[in-house]
Amino acid sequence: LAYAVKHIGMAYEKKAFGMKLSDASSLANALRMSETLSVLALPCSLLDDASVRAIAGGLAENCTLTSLDLSHNKIADRGAKALAKLLGESVLISLNLCDNRIHSDGGKYLGRALHANVSLRHLNLRLNRLGDEGGQRLIEGARKHAALTSLNLSCNALEEGAARAAAALLSGPSALHTLDLSANQLSEEAGRALHESMRGNTTVQTLDLRQNSLVADEALVFIEGQCQRNRQAAGG
C-alpha cells in the first residue's frame, strides 16, 4: 500500500498533497483490520508526529506488516517515541525513517526499543538530526540486537561518542553486515578506533565512512580490505 497523488499534471493544488490527521486515523483503523498487508510505504506524505502516532496505534494491533517506509516526512522525536513503542510489539523487518526531523531524544527512544525487539533487520535513519548523543544511544541499542543486519546513520552529525559505540558494536558478536556512517563529523581518532574494531570482524561487508574527517589512509585501506575479505568469505 502506498499513499500518493498520481498524474496530477497542471491541476496542482497544494492541499492535494500530504496526509491529514483524519487520513492517518482512517488508515490506522484499516490497519487494525488487515490480515494480509505486509508492506506500507508513505514517503513524502507530510506526516508529522500526530499522524505517525495515529498510524502507530493501528500498527500495534497488526501482526502482518513487515516493511514500513516513512521516509521524507516531518517526523520528530514524539513520532519516533511512538514508533519505538511499536518496535516492542511488531514483527517489522524493515523500517525506513530517512530524511525526517528526529533529534537526540528520538535516537534514545529507538535505541532502547532495539533492546527488546527481535525481528528488525534493516533500519534507515539517514538525513536526520540525531547528534552524537542520540547516535551513540541508538548504536548501543543496536549492539544488543541479535538480528539487525543493516544500519544507516549517514548525515546525522555523529562524533566521537557515536564512533566509540560503533567500534564496540563492530568488535562484538553481531549479525550486522552493512553500516553507513558517511557524511558525519568523525575524526581521525574515530577512524583509528573503527580500524582496531575491524581487525577481528568477520561479518561486516560494507562500512561506509566517506565524507568524514578521516585522514588516516592506512586505516581506511585496511577497513575496506577487511570488508572485501568478509564479502569473499560470505560468497559475495
Side-chain angles (χ1 to χ4, degrees), residues 15-35:
K15 65 181 180 181
F17 291 85
M19 180 175 279
K20 310 299 188 293
L21 182 57
S22 58
D23 299 325
S25 297
S26 297
L27 176 59
N29 289 331
L31 291 169
R32 291 185 178 95
M33 303 295 292
S34 174
E35 297 179 354

Side-chain angles (χ1 to χ4, degrees), residues 34-58:
S34 174
E35 297 179 354
T36 57
L37 185 68
S38 60
V39 177
L40 177 60
L42 301 172
C44 307
S45 297
L46 301 180
L47 290 172
D48 58 14
D49 285 351
S51 298
V52 167
R53 290 168 69 188
I55 293 169

Side-chain angles (χ1 to χ4, degrees), residues 32-225:
R32 291 185 178 95
M33 303 295 292
S34 174
E35 297 179 354
T36 57
L37 185 68
S38 60
V39 177
L40 177 60
L42 301 172
C44 307
S45 297
L46 301 180
L47 290 172
D48 58 14
D49 285 351
S51 298
V52 167
R53 290 168 69 188
I55 293 169
L59 286 174
E61 300 178 41
N62 180 289
C63 60
T64 62
L65 196 79
T66 58
S67 178
L68 179 60
D69 182 355
L70 300 176
S71 60
H72 310 293
N73 282 295
K74 301 190 296 180
I75 303 167
D77 289 343
R78 293 179 68 189
K81 185 175 184 179
L83 293 170
K85 183 179 179 181
L86 174 66
L87 284 178
E89 305 165 349
S90 73
V91 293
L92 277 179
I93 294 174
S94 176
L95 177 59
N96 187 352
L97 296 172
C98 169
D99 189 21
N100 276 285
R101 302 176 181 180
I102 302 172
H103 288 73
S104 179
D105 284 347
K108 295 175 186 176
Y109 296 141
L110 292 168
R112 285 197 291 268
L114 289 176
H115 292 187
N117 179 273
V118 296
S119 65
L120 198 67
R121 301 291 186 274
H122 311 284
L123 177 58
N124 187 347
L125 282 159
R126 183 173 67 90
L127 288 168
N128 276 281
R129 308 165 189 181
L130 298 183
D132 195 45
E133 185 176 4
Q136 179 178 348
R137 296 293 179 260
L138 189 134
I139 295 171
E140 288 172 351
R143 186 181 176 190
K144 298 179 181 180
H145 196 289
L148 196 69
T149 60
S150 68
L151 176 61
N152 192 330
L153 296 176
S154 176
C155 304
N156 269 286
L158 306 184
E159 299 181 30
E160 303 306 314
R164 288 193 296 271
L169 171 64
L170 295 172
S171 298
S174 171
L176 196 71
H177 64 64
T178 301
L179 177 60
D180 191 340
L181 300 176
S182 61
N184 281 293
Q185 300 170 16
L186 305 183
S187 66
E188 183 175 355
E189 181 179 352
R192 286 195 292 269
L194 293 168
H195 174 199
E196 289 301 316
S197 70
M198 284 295 292
R199 287 189 179 278
N201 185 287
T202 59
T203 58
V204 172
Q205 300 176 28
T206 302
L207 175 54
D208 194 341
L209 296 171
R210 293 174 296 170
Q211 298 182 39
N212 280 287
S213 300
L214 307 174
V215 296
D217 291 340
E218 291 183 4
L220 293 177
V221 169
F222 175 84
I223 289 171
E224 178 53 36

